Amino acid sequence: MESINLVKGYNKVDPLEDDVSRLPTTPQNRRITVVVSLTLLLSVAIGGMIGALIHESATEPSESSPSLSANSAESLRSICSVTRYPESCFSSISSINTKSNCPKPDPEYVLNLSLRVALTELTNLSSLPRTLISKSNDAGTVSALNDCASLLGDAVSQLNNSASLLGGEKAALTEDKISDMKTWISAAMTDQDTCVDGLEETGSTVVDEVKGKVQKSTEYMSNSLAILANISALLDKFGLKMH
């Protein structure tokens, strides 16, 4: 504001300047006139610099800005939109992407993160049957939970095989890889369903607890499968090609 006020007043006659203009023209008075003029010009220049600094500081990003940039979030939401559970896709992957600090995640990168999320959830789930067995006295429930332990162990292996095909965040995808990954992810989801079905058939009291845990794992695997099934179209949308 100081620079604006100074500029606005630049064409007005300053009392001091008016007094100086009426002084006799002598070398000393001319020096005074020059000094006054330079002082006014310097004031205008300083005012302009201060105004520029204020504007710059006002436009700098705040340290409290979201860790996931708008550009990154938009890309992730676009990819997750092809899934059956877009919100769980976005929330689960964005937490990992924030740590990875990728400014604009592409479909292959997001697929990798999605598989990591699904594998972590399934690995945690696979320990549940053993925990429940230690608390149960029902023979039918124990038998069904033993089957679940075996099925979920197989599911972890299937999903791990799928994730390992990427071989890292930027590994090349091929049609053969996509086909194998679809098969393994689908098989892992089937193993989970078979576990729940077995518990329901025995009328186990723990079936609701297991179903609740399985649901999140199912969502994450479903998200990975949907991204994989649409990977070609997603790559085209991002202007990328299949390797």
Side-chain angles (χ1 to χ4, degrees):
M1 293 301 295
E2 181 181 351
S3 61
I4 295 174
N5 291 334
L6 285 169
V7 171
K8 286 182 178 180
Y10 187 74
N11 291 324
K12 295 180 181 180
V13 178
D14 185 271
L16 177 59
E17 187 179 1
D18 190 44
D19 290 340
V20 170
S21 66
R22 290 196 296 267
L23 291 175
T25 304
T26 66
Q28 181 179 3
N29 291 339
R30 281 198 297 270
R31 284 196 296 270
I32 293 175
T33 301
V34 170
V35 170
V36 171
S37 299
L38 289 176
T39 300
L40 289 172
L41 290 173
L42 183 60
S43 298
V44 172
I46 292 174
M49 292 174 61
I50 293 174
L53 289 173
I54 292 174
H55 175 73
E56 182 179 354
S57 63
T59 56
E60 287 180 353
S62 171
E63 293 182 359
S64 60
S65 298
S67 53
L68 188 64
S69 69
N71 193 34
S72 176
E74 182 181 352
S75 298
L76 183 53
R77 285 200 181 278
S78 177
I79 297 169
C80 285
S81 67
V82 304
T83 70
R84 186 177 179 184
Y85 309 99
E87 288 306 316
S88 73
C89 173
F90 179 81
S91 61
S92 62
I93 296 175
S94 61
S95 61
I96 299 180
N97 186 55
T98 297
K99 297 175 184 178
S100 302
N101 196 29
C102 181
K104 188 178 181 181
D106 61 62
E108 288 188 29
Y109 179 83
V110 171
L111 174 61
N112 185 287
L113 295 185
S114 178
L115 284 169
R116 283 170 54 187
V117 168
L119 185 56
T120 298
E121 186 65 28
L122 181 59
T123 300
N124 293 335
L125 174 64
S126 66
S127 64
L128 179 62
R130 297 300 181 192
T131 300
L132 295 176
I133 287 172
S134 66
K135 300 177 181 178
S136 178
N137 295 319
D138 181 73
T141 295
V142 170
S143 176
L145 286 172
N146 277 321
D147 289 342
C148 279
S150 177
L151 287 165
L152 294 178
D154 287 342
V156 170
S157 295
Q158 302 273 17
L159 198 58
N160 192 52
N161 287 339
S162 184
S164 66
L165 276 185
L166 291 179
E169 295 177 352
K170 290 298 182 182
L173 270 179
T174 64
E175 292 294 344
D176 288 340
K177 281 186 178 183
I178 290 174
S179 178
D180 289 341
M181 290 169 73
K182 286 180 180 178
T183 299
W184 283 323
I185 296 173
S186 297
M189 295 177 72
T190 300
D191 285 337
Q192 285 193 154
D193 291 340
T194 304
C195 164
V196 173
D197 290 343
L199 288 169
E200 288 180 332
E201 289 174 4
T202 63
S204 173
T205 57
V206 300
V207 65
D208 288 338
E209 181 178 355
V210 174
K211 285 175 73 173
K213 300 288 187 180
V214 164
Q215 177 59 31
K216 183 180 287 188
S217 178
T218 297
E219 287 187 13
Y220 291 163
M221 283 194 281
S222 174
N223 292 338
S224 296
L225 192 58
I227 294 171
L228 190 60
N230 292 276
I231 194 68
S232 294
L234 288 170
L235 287 171
D236 287 341
K237 189 175 183 179
F238 279 69
L240 302 171
K241 299 286 186 181
M242 184 80 70
H243 295 290

PDB file of all heavy atoms in Angstrom, residues 172-195:
ATOM      1  N   ALA A 172       7.762 -53.361 -16.290  1.00  0.00           N
ATOM      2  CA  ALA A 172       6.947 -53.331 -17.496  1.00  0.00           C
ATOM      3  C   ALA A 172       5.798 -54.328 -17.404  1.00  0.00           C
ATOM      4  O   ALA A 172       5.958 -55.452 -16.943  1.00  0.00           O
ATOM      5  CB  ALA A 172       7.816 -53.641 -18.709  1.00  0.00           C
ATOM      6  N   LEU A 173       4.618 -53.903 -17.856  1.00  0.00           N
ATOM      7  CA  LEU A 173       3.459 -54.781 -17.944  1.00  0.00           C
ATOM      8  C   LEU A 173       3.357 -55.325 -19.362  1.00  0.00           C
ATOM      9  O   LEU A 173       3.611 -54.611 -20.329  1.00  0.00           O
ATOM     10  CB  LEU A 173       2.180 -54.016 -17.611  1.00  0.00           C
ATOM     11  CG  LEU A 173       1.728 -53.972 -16.157  1.00  0.00           C
ATOM     12  CD1 LEU A 173       0.455 -53.142 -16.051  1.00  0.00           C
ATOM     13  CD2 LEU A 173       1.477 -55.363 -15.604  1.00  0.00           C
ATOM     14  N   THR A 174       2.985 -56.582 -19.467  1.00  0.00           N
ATOM     15  CA  THR A 174       2.727 -57.193 -20.766  1.00  0.00           C
ATOM     16  C   THR A 174       1.364 -57.871 -20.712  1.00  0.00           C
ATOM     17  O   THR A 174       0.810 -58.076 -19.632  1.00  0.00           O
ATOM     18  CB  THR A 174       3.811 -58.233 -21.116  1.00  0.00           C
ATOM     19  OG1 THR A 174       3.740 -59.306 -20.154  1.00  0.00           O
ATOM     20  CG2 THR A 174       5.211 -57.614 -21.076  1.00  0.00           C
ATOM     21  N   GLU A 175       0.842 -58.251 -21.859  1.00  0.00           N
ATOM     22  CA  GLU A 175      -0.452 -58.927 -21.909  1.00  0.00           C
ATOM     23  C   GLU A 175      -0.400 -60.253 -21.155  1.00  0.00           C
ATOM     24  O   GLU A 175      -1.361 -60.632 -20.477  1.00  0.00           O
ATOM     25  CB  GLU A 175      -0.872 -59.154 -23.368  1.00  0.00           C
ATOM     26  CG  GLU A 175      -1.196 -57.880 -24.142  1.00  0.00           C
ATOM     27  CD  GLU A 175      -2.433 -57.176 -23.600  1.00  0.00           C
ATOM     28  OE1 GLU A 175      -3.199 -57.806 -22.844  1.00  0.00           O
ATOM     29  OE2 GLU A 175      -2.629 -55.992 -23.930  1.00  0.00           O
ATOM     30  N   ASP A 176       0.710 -60.966 -21.263  1.00  0.00           N
ATOM     31  CA  ASP A 176       0.847 -62.241 -20.552  1.00  0.00           C
ATOM     32  C   ASP A 176       0.844 -62.031 -19.042  1.00  0.00           C
ATOM     33  O   ASP A 176       0.224 -62.799 -18.288  1.00  0.00           O
ATOM     34  CB  ASP A 176       2.146 -62.948 -20.965  1.00  0.00           C
ATOM     35  CG  ASP A 176       2.074 -63.506 -22.384  1.00  0.00           C
ATOM     36  OD1 ASP A 176       0.940 -63.683 -22.886  1.00  0.00           O
ATOM     37  OD2 ASP A 176       3.140 -63.765 -22.977  1.00  0.00           O
ATOM     38  N   LYS A 177       1.539 -60.995 -18.590  1.00  0.00           N
ATOM     39  CA  LYS A 177       1.557 -60.687 -17.160  1.00  0.00           C
ATOM     40  C   LYS A 177       0.161 -60.342 -16.666  1.00  0.00           C
ATOM     41  O   LYS A 177      -0.261 -60.786 -15.591  1.00  0.00           O
ATOM     42  CB  LYS A 177       2.511 -59.522 -16.877  1.00  0.00           C
ATOM     43  CG  LYS A 177       3.979 -59.886 -16.826  1.00  0.00           C
ATOM     44  CD  LYS A 177       4.795 -58.672 -16.380  1.00  0.00           C
ATOM     45  CE  LYS A 177       6.270 -59.018 -16.273  1.00  0.00           C
ATOM     46  NZ  LYS A 177       7.062 -57.878 -15.775  1.00  0.00           N
ATOM     47  N   ILE A 178      -0.545 -59.541 -17.431  1.00  0.00           N
ATOM     48  CA  ILE A 178      -1.885 -59.124 -17.033  1.00  0.00           C
ATOM     49  C   ILE A 178      -2.800 -60.338 -16.889  1.00  0.00           C
ATOM     50  O   ILE A 178      -3.569 -60.455 -15.928  1.00  0.00           O
ATOM     51  CB  ILE A 178      -2.469 -58.131 -18.063  1.00  0.00           C
ATOM     52  CG1 ILE A 178      -1.729 -56.796 -17.974  1.00  0.00           C
ATOM     53  CG2 ILE A 178      -3.963 -57.922 -17.833  1.00  0.00           C
ATOM     54  CD1 ILE A 178      -2.125 -55.797 -19.036  1.00  0.00           C
ATOM     55  N   SER A 179      -2.702 -61.264 -17.835  1.00  0.00           N
ATOM     56  CA  SER A 179      -3.527 -62.468 -17.789  1.00  0.00           C
ATOM     57  C   SER A 179      -3.225 -63.300 -16.547  1.00  0.00           C
ATOM     58  O   SER A 179      -4.145 -63.764 -15.847  1.00  0.00           O
ATOM     59  CB  SER A 179      -3.292 -63.307 -19.056  1.00  0.00           C
ATOM     60  OG  SER A 179      -4.041 -64.508 -19.012  1.00  0.00           O
ATOM     61  N   ASP A 180      -1.943 -63.489 -16.249  1.00  0.00           N
ATOM     62  CA  ASP A 180      -1.558 -64.274 -15.069  1.00  0.00           C
ATOM     63  C   ASP A 180      -1.990 -63.589 -13.778  1.00  0.00           C
ATOM     64  O   ASP A 180      -2.473 -64.244 -12.847  1.00  0.00           O
ATOM     65  CB  ASP A 180      -0.037 -64.486 -15.052  1.00  0.00           C
ATOM     66  CG  ASP A 180       0.433 -65.461 -16.129  1.00  0.00           C
ATOM     67  OD1 ASP A 180      -0.407 -66.233 -16.634  1.00  0.00           O
ATOM     68  OD2 ASP A 180       1.634 -65.432 -16.473  1.00  0.00           O
ATOM     69  N   MET A 181      -1.826 -62.291 -13.727  1.00  0.00           N
ATOM     70  CA  MET A 181      -2.186 -61.543 -12.519  1.00  0.00           C
ATOM     71  C   MET A 181      -3.693 -61.610 -12.260  1.00  0.00           C
ATOM     72  O   MET A 181      -4.141 -61.766 -11.127  1.00  0.00           O
ATOM     73  CB  MET A 181      -1.725 -60.091 -12.645  1.00  0.00           C
ATOM     74  CG  MET A 181      -0.211 -59.931 -12.595  1.00  0.00           C
ATOM     75  SD  MET A 181       0.346 -58.275 -13.060  1.00  0.00           S
ATOM     76  CE  MET A 181      -0.140 -57.347 -11.618  1.00  0.00           C
ATOM     77  N   LYS A 182      -4.486 -61.511 -13.323  1.00  0.00           N
ATOM     78  CA  LYS A 182      -5.934 -61.627 -13.173  1.00  0.00           C
ATOM     79  C   LYS A 182      -6.303 -62.991 -12.590  1.00  0.00           C
ATOM     80  O   LYS A 182      -7.162 -63.101 -11.704  1.00  0.00           O
ATOM     81  CB  LYS A 182      -6.627 -61.447 -14.528  1.00  0.00           C
ATOM     82  CG  LYS A 182      -6.676 -60.029 -15.053  1.00  0.00           C
ATOM     83  CD  LYS A 182      -7.395 -60.008 -16.405  1.00  0.00           C
ATOM     84  CE  LYS A 182      -7.483 -58.607 -16.980  1.00  0.00           C
ATOM     85  NZ  LYS A 182      -8.144 -58.605 -18.314  1.00  0.00           N
ATOM     86  N   THR A 183      -5.656 -64.032 -13.100  1.00  0.00           N
ATOM     87  CA  THR A 183      -5.938 -65.390 -12.634  1.00  0.00           C
ATOM     88  C   THR A 183      -5.615 -65.534 -11.158  1.00  0.00           C
ATOM     89  O   THR A 183      -6.419 -66.091 -10.381  1.00  0.00           O
ATOM     90  CB  THR A 183      -5.123 -66.412 -13.453  1.00  0.00           C
ATOM     91  OG1 THR A 183      -5.486 -66.324 -14.830  1.00  0.00           O
ATOM     92  CG2 THR A 183      -5.374 -67.826 -12.943  1.00  0.00           C
ATOM     93  N   TRP A 184      -4.453 -65.033 -10.747  1.00  0.00           N
ATOM     94  CA  TRP A 184      -4.036 -65.186  -9.348  1.00  0.00           C
ATOM     95  C   TRP A 184      -4.891 -64.347  -8.397  1.00  0.00           C
ATOM     96  O   TRP A 184      -5.231 -64.807  -7.302  1.00  0.00           O
ATOM     97  CB  TRP A 184      -2.561 -64.826  -9.206  1.00  0.00           C
ATOM     98  CG  TRP A 184      -1.639 -65.911  -9.690  1.00  0.00           C
ATOM     99  CD1 TRP A 184      -1.815 -67.251  -9.555  1.00  0.00           C
ATOM    100  CD2 TRP A 184      -0.410 -65.738 -10.387  1.00  0.00           C
ATOM    101  NE1 TRP A 184      -0.766 -67.932 -10.119  1.00  0.00           N
ATOM    102  CE2 TRP A 184       0.120 -67.034 -10.634  1.00  0.00           C
ATOM    103  CE3 TRP A 184       0.316 -64.632 -10.827  1.00  0.00           C
ATOM    104  CZ2 TRP A 184       1.329 -67.246 -11.298  1.00  0.00           C
ATOM    105  CZ3 TRP A 184       1.519 -64.839 -11.481  1.00  0.00           C
ATOM    106  CH2 TRP A 184       2.023 -66.118 -11.713  1.00  0.00           C
ATOM    107  N   ILE A 185      -5.219 -63.135  -8.775  1.00  0.00           N
ATOM    108  CA  ILE A 185      -6.059 -62.293  -7.907  1.00  0.00           C
ATOM    109  C   ILE A 185      -7.446 -62.915  -7.757  1.00  0.00           C
ATOM    110  O   ILE A 185      -8.006 -62.967  -6.654  1.00  0.00           O
ATOM    111  CB  ILE A 185      -6.163 -60.860  -8.451  1.00  0.00           C
ATOM    112  CG1 ILE A 185      -4.794 -60.177  -8.446  1.00  0.00           C
ATOM    113  CG2 ILE A 185      -7.142 -60.042  -7.609  1.00  0.00           C
ATOM    114  CD1 ILE A 185      -4.776 -58.808  -9.129  1.00  0.00           C
ATOM    115  N   SER A 186      -8.003 -63.379  -8.853  1.00  0.00           N
ATOM    116  CA  SER A 186      -9.328 -64.018  -8.810  1.00  0.00           C
ATOM    117  C   SER A 186      -9.291 -65.266  -7.936  1.00  0.00           C
ATOM    118  O   SER A 186     -10.242 -65.529  -7.174  1.00  0.00           O
ATOM    119  CB  SER A 186      -9.785 -64.385 -10.228  1.00  0.00           C
ATOM    120  OG  SER A 186      -9.947 -63.233 -11.025  1.00  0.00           O
ATOM    121  N   ALA A 187      -8.214 -66.041  -8.034  1.00  0.00           N
ATOM    122  CA  ALA A 187      -8.085 -67.255  -7.220  1.00  0.00           C
ATOM    123  C   ALA A 187      -8.000 -66.908  -5.741  1.00  0.00           C
ATOM    124  O   ALA A 187      -8.590 -67.602  -4.891  1.00  0.00           O
ATOM    125  CB  ALA A 187      -6.843 -68.034  -7.653  1.00  0.00           C
ATOM    126  N   ALA A 188      -7.293 -65.829  -5.412  1.00  0.00           N
ATOM    127  CA  ALA A 188      -7.184 -65.399  -4.010  1.00  0.00           C
ATOM    128  C   ALA A 188      -8.545 -64.973  -3.470  1.00  0.00           C
ATOM    129  O   ALA A 188      -8.903 -65.289  -2.322  1.00  0.00           O
ATOM    130  CB  ALA A 188      -6.183 -64.251  -3.900  1.00  0.00           C
ATOM    131  N   MET A 189      -9.327 -64.291  -4.270  1.00  0.00           N
ATOM    132  CA  MET A 189     -10.667 -63.875  -3.854  1.00  0.00           C
ATOM    133  C   MET A 189     -11.575 -65.092  -3.659  1.00  0.00           C
ATOM    134  O   MET A 189     -12.394 -65.138  -2.723  1.00  0.00           O
ATOM    135  CB  MET A 189     -11.259 -62.911  -4.884  1.00  0.00           C
ATOM    136  CG  MET A 189     -10.510 -61.593  -4.984  1.00  0.00           C
ATOM    137  SD  MET A 189     -11.157 -60.486  -6.281  1.00  0.00           S
ATOM    138  CE  MET A 189     -12.713 -59.979  -5.546  1.00  0.00           C
ATOM    139  N   THR A 190     -11.426 -66.097  -4.534  1.00  0.00           N
ATOM    140  CA  THR A 190     -12.213 -67.324  -4.404  1.00  0.00           C
ATOM    141  C   THR A 190     -11.871 -68.059  -3.118  1.00  0.00           C
ATOM    142  O   THR A 190     -12.757 -68.598  -2.436  1.00  0.00           O
ATOM    143  CB  THR A 190     -11.969 -68.248  -5.619  1.00  0.00           C
ATOM    144  OG1 THR A 190     -12.365 -67.572  -6.816  1.00  0.00           O
ATOM    145  CG2 THR A 190     -12.750 -69.548  -5.488  1.00  0.00           C
ATOM    146  N   ASP A 191     -10.597 -68.086  -2.761  1.00  0.00           N
ATOM    147  CA  ASP A 191     -10.171 -68.724  -1.508  1.00  0.00           C
ATOM    148  C   ASP A 191     -10.849 -68.067  -0.307  1.00  0.00           C
ATOM    149  O   ASP A 191     -11.285 -68.752   0.624  1.00  0.00           O
ATOM    150  CB  ASP A 191      -8.650 -68.640  -1.355  1.00  0.00           C
ATOM    151  CG  ASP A 191      -7.916 -69.618  -2.268  1.00  0.00           C
ATOM    152  OD1 ASP A 191      -8.540 -70.619  -2.672  1.00  0.00           O
ATOM    153  OD2 ASP A 191      -6.738 -69.366  -2.571  1.00  0.00           O
ATOM    154  N   GLN A 192     -10.930 -66.755  -0.325  1.00  0.00           N
ATOM    155  CA  GLN A 192     -11.599 -66.041   0.770  1.00  0.00           C
ATOM    156  C   GLN A 192     -13.075 -66.419   0.853  1.00  0.00           C
ATOM    157  O   GLN A 192     -13.614 -66.665   1.935  1.00  0.00           O
ATOM    158  CB  GLN A 192     -11.463 -64.527   0.582  1.00  0.00           C
ATOM    159  CG  GLN A 192     -10.109 -63.972   0.909  1.00  0.00           C
ATOM    160  CD  GLN A 192     -10.101 -62.450   1.010  1.00  0.00           C
ATOM    161  OE1 GLN A 192      -9.278 -61.877   1.691  1.00  0.00           O
ATOM    162  NE2 GLN A 192     -11.020 -61.786   0.349  1.00  0.00           N
ATOM    163  N   ASP A 193     -13.736 -66.422  -0.302  1.00  0.00           N
ATOM    164  CA  ASP A 193     -15.163 -66.760  -0.342  1.00  0.00           C
ATOM    165  C   ASP A 193     -15.402 -68.184   0.168  1.00  0.00           C
ATOM    166  O   ASP A 193     -16.388 -68.446   0.877  1.00  0.00           O
ATOM    167  CB  ASP A 193     -15.706 -66.623  -1.768  1.00  0.00           C
ATOM    168  CG  ASP A 193     -15.756 -65.183  -2.240  1.00  0.00           C
ATOM    169  OD1 ASP A 193     -15.734 -64.271  -1.381  1.00  0.00           O
ATOM    170  OD2 ASP A 193     -15.804 -64.961  -3.470  1.00  0.00           O
ATOM    171  N   THR A 194     -14.521 -69.103  -0.204  1.00  0.00           N
ATOM    172  CA  THR A 194     -14.654 -70.501   0.229  1.00  0.00           C
ATOM    173  C   THR A 194     -14.519 -70.613   1.737  1.00  0.00           C
ATOM    174  O   THR A 194     -15.230 -71.406   2.383  1.00  0.00           O
ATOM    175  CB  THR A 194     -13.591 -71.371  -0.464  1.00  0.00           C
ATOM    176  OG1 THR A 194     -13.712 -71.234  -1.887  1.00  0.00           O
ATOM    177  CG2 THR A 194     -13.746 -72.842  -0.078  1.00  0.00           C
ATOM    178  N   CYS A 195     -13.629 -69.820   2.317  1.00  0.00           N
ATOM    179  CA  CYS A 195     -13.457 -69.791   3.766  1.00  0.00           C
ATOM    180  C   CYS A 195     -14.752 -69.382   4.452  1.00  0.00           C
ATOM    181  O   CYS A 195     -15.213 -70.051   5.393  1.00  0.00           O
ATOM    182  CB  CYS A 195     -12.319 -68.842   4.125  1.00  0.00           C
ATOM    183  SG  CYS A 195     -12.262 -68.333   5.869  1.00  0.00           S
TER     184      CYS A 195
END
